[in-house]
Amino acid sequence: MRVVKLLKSSLVPLETILQSLQDTVVQQTNMQYSSKAVPGPKDNSHIFEAIGLLIGMEDVPLEMQSIYLSSLLAPLCQQVGLLVNSKLDEDPSKVASFQQIIWQSMLRGFNERLVMASRPAIGLMFKKTLDVLSQILVACPKIEPLRTKVMSFIHRMVDTLGVSVFPVLPKALEQLLSEI
């Protein structure tokens, strides 16, 4: 993480770096791997923050940013879909911890100017993750640790996406407030 922060513009070719991390990322985004232990706040979040910083550089072409980000977000969104449809035999709060650590860490690599002004398509991808995560609240409305994780993720989304996230918030906030 420190190397990426200091040298991110010098780390080229980006494709080679991200491909070399692919096995680790696949392993970390796999629920079978993550089910071995409940992830803590520091468990491998640094790798996703570093990847977010690399993908979030402005000199990465939009098409490549979309491909990289999509390849990370797609399996995570599929896992949420499995959880919502009760096809994932895992503790929902554990899944939420896992998801939140990864998504929140990746978001740190992006800034509001990039995702809203320069590359709004990237911002839309992140907004869709909020919609996906809101489905967990509908499926598991009374699990407090889960609600806390979603609230934390919403906070990070507002920090990254700014006021553009407001139109997507009512659905999530309605679910959070419905059980108070």
Side-chain angles (χ1 to χ4, degrees):
M1 186 61 220
R2 288 181 182 156
V3 169
V4 170
K5 281 184 177 179
L6 292 173
L7 303 173
K8 69 180 176 181
S9 60
S10 303
L11 295 173
V12 288
L14 184 61
E15 294 82 15
T16 305
I17 294 167
L18 291 173
Q19 285 173 353
S20 69
L21 293 172
Q22 187 171 3
D23 289 340
T24 303
V25 170
V26 167
Q27 186 180 38
Q28 297 297 316
T29 57
N30 183 334
M31 273 309 298
Q32 276 64 45
Y33 170 81
S34 69
S35 66
K36 293 177 184 171
V38 176
K42 298 287 183 193
D43 284 353
N44 300 314
S45 64
H46 57 279
I47 194 168
F48 293 100
E49 186 173 350
I51 289 169
L53 285 168
L54 290 171
I55 295 172
M57 291 189 303
E58 290 196 34
D59 51 342
V60 175
L62 173 60
E63 309 80 49
M64 295 312 293
Q65 275 182 333
S66 296
I67 290 168
Y68 296 143
L69 198 54
S70 212
S71 70
L72 291 168
L73 295 178
L76 300 173
C77 290
Q78 288 172 341
Q79 290 167 10
V80 170
L82 290 172
L83 175 67
V84 168
N85 295 321
S86 301
K87 295 178 184 170
L88 187 61
D89 190 26
E90 292 289 336
D91 174 15
S93 57
K94 184 176 176 182
V95 173
S97 279
F98 169 70
Q99 297 281 337
Q100 186 250 1
I101 286 167
I102 294 172
W103 280 338
Q104 199 167 356
S105 297
M106 273 194 308
L107 275 168
R108 288 186 190 119
F110 295 83
N111 61 54
E112 184 179 355
R113 187 182 51 72
L114 176 75
V115 298
M116 298 320 304
S118 306
R119 311 266 170 98
I122 300 298
L124 289 174
M125 291 174 80
F126 282 122
K127 285 181 193 176
K128 288 179 184 176
T129 63
L130 181 58
D131 287 338
V132 169
L133 197 59
S134 296
Q135 293 175 17
I136 292 177
L137 291 173
V138 173
C140 312
K142 298 190 186 273
I143 301 173
E144 190 58 37
L146 180 73
R147 297 165 64 82
T148 302
K149 295 293 182 190
V150 173
M151 187 61 89
S152 178
F153 182 70
I154 289 171
H155 179 265
R156 175 55 68 185
M157 290 287 279
V158 171
D159 284 348
T160 304
L161 299 174
V163 296
S164 69
V165 80
F166 291 166
V168 229
L169 286 179
K171 182 179 175 183
L173 293 176
E174 180 181 325
Q175 280 308 132
L176 284 169
L177 295 173
S178 69
E179 296 297 321
I180 293 181

